[in-house]
Amino acid sequence: MQANLFHRNKKDKSDSELLRFYFETHNPEFLGELYGRYIYLVYGVCLNYLKGPEQAKDAVIDIYEKIQHEILKHQIRNFKSWLYVVVKNHCLMELRKQTPGKTLFISEEKELELFMENSGELHPDDKEPDEYPENELEECMKKLKVEQMKCIQLFYFKSKSYREIATILNIDLKKVKSFIQNGKRNLKICLEEK
Amino acid sequence: MKNENPYINEANFRRYLNNQMSDAERNRFERELEKNPFEAEALLGYEKSPTNEFNKEIEELKKEIRGKKRSSVSRYWAAAATVLLLVTAGLFWTQLNNETPTPEVAKLENGNGKKAVTAKVDSVTDENLASTSIKREAYEQEEVADIKNEVIETETKSATEPATATDTKNETATNTGTDNETVTVSSTMTETESGSSEMIQEETINSNKNQTQLAGNSKMSRTKQDTKAASFNFGNEQSKGLKAGFTGQLSIKQDSIKLTERVAFPIDTNDIFPDSFKTIPASERGRVQEIQGVAIQDQVELEGDPYLTDVKAYPVGGMDNYLKYLEKEAVLPNDFPVLKDTVQLRLNIDSQGKITMIQSRNNEGSMLLERSKKIIKNGPRWNPQVVNGEKIQSEVKLNIVFKKKQK
């Protein structure tokens, strides 16, 4: 009876509720609902790592079948974070199969192992630059490279999109992302030193 | 109560990909992307992909996952159904294999209690046809006849019944209430192209009043099974279609009761003859077949092993061959004081046919006794005595006549 109620309302349930119910019942309906919520992300990541849509689709199905058993072996607090790690691991394993002996992504694999061990939030303490104290931030901003500083200012303080920044600075969109990411990391390091 | 981030969700992801956001919205979404590598990497993947049919592809994947969800559940049912089917098939197969070949089963009772019926059916000469263990799959008819204190006359009279292979309604009864009964047994077997055989069997059992003793109000229960093309007659017209029975004690011998039976059905000769029957020497098979058991409507329960006929212990290969063997082996040495000497023995044969003890009954000299034991031990094996379908331990008296070899 309880299972039926959950079954009917599973779309309204939170991730943790669905997860708990899957642990209790092992009913794949609940895991399917949970997986379905993030399938667009799983597919996107698989597209990012693997060669084409067909491989990525196969990987999405394989991962679903895999997690039905794997999920029961772990204590998972955040399904989405855990799923991201599993997806990345799966894609790396697929790549390794395709190119045996290649040491590509080895550092990322180590990183993933750490994620697996912690299995917590990916960025629990991430602060955006505009959330730091203004005076400290100003000092550290001056230490950044010019491109990084400009991109950070436009992105966080002028609320410009990647696309707009690329137009304003007349640089490639990927460069914009890269400057923002690196600038943010350097800022964080600088601010943590203070 | 989904864990919805107001900015990072599937709808916004699609809007962003489809360029449906304003620049301010894009900035808000991209700021979230900076904090959510899962989304950021997925976005990279979509940007790298040559196709732009993400919505369609994602929907297809969702459908496939839903199919997997169903199939996971249905897989359990399929597995359960398969197991059930296999178990059922196994039971059915076991049942088929255990199905007793119920040729004719009769149970006789009288008012004082049950008495076993021994029906000796002779004149079945063909060893293939001697076994009446033909599977008759359906009871089509049960016939009941009451016989009250009847004495069947010795004279065998003609009351044969015209039985056809296909129509059981044409059966006529022959054996009750009349003085004239004749049943002939004759069998023919025709091979069909498919390899199976169609057997047409007519049995005639002569009934003999002197040989048949009925006492009191007698009832005979007779249950008959026919295959699709089989027809079988027993009883009389009054009892057609009903359960037939008489009580009392009946002994039927080859020349005393005749029953006509005509059956036509496909048979597999490898299937219908039990192994136990094959162990009976050919010379013995046609001689005696004793049937004993209880017939119940729609079900036949036999006491003991229905395949085993009641016989006394006898050597494998038949007594004649055994005697020849003894004659050949029981040779006195030339310097023996007498020309001929007899050793009287008592053999104990267990239920497996193994000779467990050999004793002398005439206290013959140890040399001949030991010689006799050796001859017996080296000789043919024995078949155990069978009573009520059960192999039992028995004692056999055997005389071995030792003679000097004639020159």
Side-chain angles (χ1 to χ4, degrees):
Chain A
M1 188 67 184
Q2 193 186 10
N4 288 338
L5 284 173
F6 267 92
H7 182 78
R8 280 198 295 272
N9 304 320
K10 62 182 185 295
K11 287 189 188 304
D12 301 325
K13 297 293 170 191
S14 69
D15 287 5
S16 56
E17 282 175 308
L18 287 172
L19 197 60
R20 181 172 56 81
F21 206 71
Y22 179 70
F23 271 96
E24 287 170 0
T25 65
H26 295 190
N27 184 343
E29 293 279 332
F30 299 100
L31 185 62
E33 167 64 23
L34 198 51
Y35 191 70
R37 289 180 183 180
Y38 301 107
I39 201 167
Y40 70 103
L41 297 178
V42 175
Y43 183 52
V45 172
C46 291
L47 280 171
N48 190 31
Y49 281 90
L50 303 175
K51 280 183 181 173
E54 290 311 312
Q55 269 197 20
K57 284 177 192 171
D58 289 345
V60 170
I61 303 302
D62 290 346
I63 290 165
Y64 175 66
E65 288 176 348
K66 186 178 178 179
I67 64 167
Q68 291 189 41
H69 311 289
E70 285 295 316
I71 201 167
L72 300 172
K73 298 176 187 170
H74 299 92
Q75 279 195 330
I76 297 161
R77 282 178 293 163
N78 186 314
F79 176 77
K80 186 182 166 189
S81 303
W82 178 82
L83 181 63
Y84 174 52
V85 175
V86 171
V87 173
K88 278 189 88 169
N89 265 339
H90 183 89
C91 293
L92 293 174
M93 293 295 286
E94 286 296 308
L95 284 173
R96 182 182 277 178
K97 278 185 208 167
Q98 290 164 17
T99 54
K102 201 172 178 180
T103 54
L104 194 66
F105 300 112
I106 191 75
S107 59
E108 290 181 48
E109 278 188 83
K110 283 180 181 170
E111 187 186 337
L112 283 170
E113 283 169 14
L114 286 174
F115 274 130
M116 287 296 280
E117 285 168 12
N118 295 328
S119 71
E121 297 282 353
L122 289 177
H123 300 278
D125 300 320
D126 246 9
K127 281 185 183 176
E128 293 186 347
D130 54 355
E131 292 169 345
Y132 288 101
E134 198 172 331
N135 54 343
E136 290 178 11
L137 183 69
E138 199 172 340
E139 278 183 41
C140 288
M141 285 283 281
K142 288 175 184 171
K143 292 180 183 175
L144 294 177
K145 289 180 183 175
V146 179
E147 292 88 353
Q148 289 177 1
M149 187 185 67
K150 283 181 180 174
C151 285
I152 293 281
Q153 278 182 333
L154 288 169
F155 189 69
Y156 286 106
F157 298 98
K158 304 286 182 187
S159 298
K160 299 292 181 186
S161 68
Y162 295 146
R163 198 170 54 186
E164 287 177 300
I165 296 168
T167 309
I168 293 166
L169 298 178
N170 196 23
I171 53 175
D172 188 68
L173 195 73
K174 285 181 184 173
K175 289 261 182 186
V176 173
K177 287 183 188 176
S178 175
F179 287 144
I180 291 171
Q181 273 190 342
N182 293 335
K184 191 177 153 189
R185 187 174 60 247
N186 291 336
L187 264 183
K188 191 180 177 187
I189 293 167
C190 173
L191 288 164
E192 281 173 354
E193 284 173 353
K194 289 187 179 291
Chain B
M1 297 291 287
K2 287 167 71 173
N3 298 343
E4 289 214 5
N5 182 315
Y7 302 104
I8 289 286
N9 53 46
E10 190 175 350
N12 280 344
F13 199 88
R14 287 171 189 252
R15 286 180 64 219
Y16 183 86
L17 270 177
N18 296 328
N19 204 16
Q20 293 169 339
M21 283 184 171
S22 66
D23 284 328
E25 281 180 310
R26 288 183 76 86
N27 175 264
R28 185 67 254 176
F29 187 78
E30 284 162 354
R31 283 175 78 148
E32 291 297 327
L33 286 181
E34 290 293 325
K35 291 190 285 187
N36 292 279
F38 202 172
E39 278 81 357
E41 279 206 54
L43 196 68
L44 282 175
Y46 287 116
E47 285 170 353
K48 274 164 72 174
S49 176
T51 65
N52 288 318
E53 298 180 327
F54 306 126
N55 293 345
K56 190 183 165 190
E57 287 169 347
I58 290 165
E59 288 309 312
E60 281 173 2
L61 283 169
K62 282 184 175 177
K63 273 184 190 172
E64 197 160 345
I65 292 299
R66 277 195 289 271
K68 292 270 176 194
K69 281 190 281 181
R70 276 194 294 273
S71 69
S72 299
V73 175
S74 60
R75 225 177 286 152
Y76 289 114
W77 285 108
T82 307
V83 168
L84 188 66
L85 192 67
L86 287 173
V87 168
T88 310
L91 288 173
F92 185 66
W93 180 250
T94 310
Q95 192 75 14
L96 272 181
N97 285 342
N98 288 341
E99 189 178 328
T100 55
T102 52
E104 299 169 357
V105 184
K107 177 191 174 186
L108 296 188
E109 292 177 1
N110 64 15
N112 297 326
K114 295 179 181 178
K115 287 190 180 179
V117 179
T118 301
K120 293 184 178 178
V121 181
D122 286 343
S123 73
V124 183
T125 54
D126 186 318
E127 77 176 46
N128 286 338
L129 301 180
S131 168
T132 52
S133 62
I134 299 158
K135 292 175 183 172
R136 298 175 180 177
E137 293 173 350
Y139 287 103
E140 285 186 352
Q141 196 174 4
E142 290 176 309
E143 298 169 350
V144 178
D146 289 333
I147 303 169
K148 294 185 178 179
N149 300 324
E150 252 185 299
V151 179
I152 303 171
E153 291 178 4
T154 309
E155 292 84 14
T156 302
K157 297 173 186 176
S158 60
T160 54
E161 44 193 320
T164 66
T166 54
D167 186 3
T168 57
K169 292 180 180 177
N170 291 335
E171 293 171 351
T172 56
T174 60
N175 67 333
T176 56
T178 67
D179 291 337
N180 304 329
E181 290 186 272
T182 301
V183 185
T184 54
V185 176
S186 63
S187 301
T188 57
M189 181 180 287
T190 56
E191 292 283 335
T192 62
E193 284 183 4
S194 62
S196 64
S197 304
E198 185 176 74
M199 190 169 88
I200 298 172
Q201 181 178 342
E202 288 183 7
E203 290 181 14
T204 303
I205 300 174
N206 298 321
S207 63
N208 185 326
K209 280 185 182 179
N210 292 339
Q211 295 284 339
T212 306
Q213 298 169 358
L214 300 171
N217 289 331
S218 301
K219 285 186 178 178
M220 183 183 82
S221 297
R222 180 182 176 85
T223 305
K224 178 174 71 65
Q225 293 174 307
D226 285 339
T227 55
K228 26 188 172 177
S231 72
F232 181 79
N233 267 344
F234 191 86
N236 58 24
E237 289 178 355
Q238 298 157 346
S239 62
K240 188 178 282 189
L242 297 170
K243 188 173 180 179
F246 53 85
T247 61
Q249 189 171 1
L250 174 66
S251 90
I252 306 165
K253 289 193 174 179
Q254 176 186 3
D255 57 350
S256 59
I257 286 184
K258 283 190 177 182
L259 164 74
T260 297
E261 182 179 353
R262 182 181 174 87
V263 193
F265 36 67
I267 58 164
D268 182 348
T269 53
N270 290 324
D271 193 31
I272 62 172
F273 300 113
D275 289 338
S276 58
F277 183 79
K278 289 172 184 172
T279 62
I280 301 173
S283 59
E284 298 288 325
R285 290 181 205 172
R287 193 172 65 78
V288 171
Q289 184 163 13
E290 294 174 344
I291 304 161
Q292 183 169 6
V294 178
I296 305 171
Q297 185 178 5
D298 292 334
Q299 187 179 353
V300 175
E301 290 178 5
L302 294 177
E303 294 172 9
D305 187 341
Y307 294 121
L308 292 177
T309 54
D310 289 1
V311 289
K312 288 191 173 179
Y314 63 93
V316 173
M319 189 53 87
D320 290 346
N321 288 335
Y322 194 73
L323 292 176
K324 282 177 190 169
Y325 164 76
L326 291 180
E327 194 179 343
K328 185 183 165 192
E329 294 294 323
V331 179
L332 285 172
N334 289 333
D335 56 351
F336 204 77
V338 291
L339 290 173
K340 177 179 159 186
D341 206 345
T342 302
V343 180
Q344 296 179 347
L345 297 168
R346 182 183 292 113
L347 310 183
N348 278 9
I349 296 167
D350 70 9
S351 59
Q352 302 302 313
K354 189 179 172 186
I355 300 166
T356 54
M357 193 170 63
I358 303 171
Q359 285 180 320
S360 169
R361 287 186 288 127
N362 59 350
N363 295 320
E364 201 50 61
S366 63
M367 195 278 280
L368 284 186
L369 178 62
E370 288 307 312
R371 174 79 183 135
S372 301
K373 286 180 179 177
K374 196 176 176 185
I375 289 170
I376 290 165
K377 282 177 182 172
N378 292 336
R381 291 187 302 108
W382 284 66
N383 289 319
Q385 184 171 352
V386 177
V387 174
N388 295 340
E390 285 185 5
K391 296 173 180 178
I392 61 164
Q393 182 183 336
S394 60
E395 189 181 89
V396 173
K397 289 177 181 174
L398 185 72
N399 293 344
I400 300 180
V401 182
F402 283 81
K403 290 178 187 173
K404 281 190 178 178
K405 200 170 185 179
Q406 290 180 350
K407 293 180 181 175

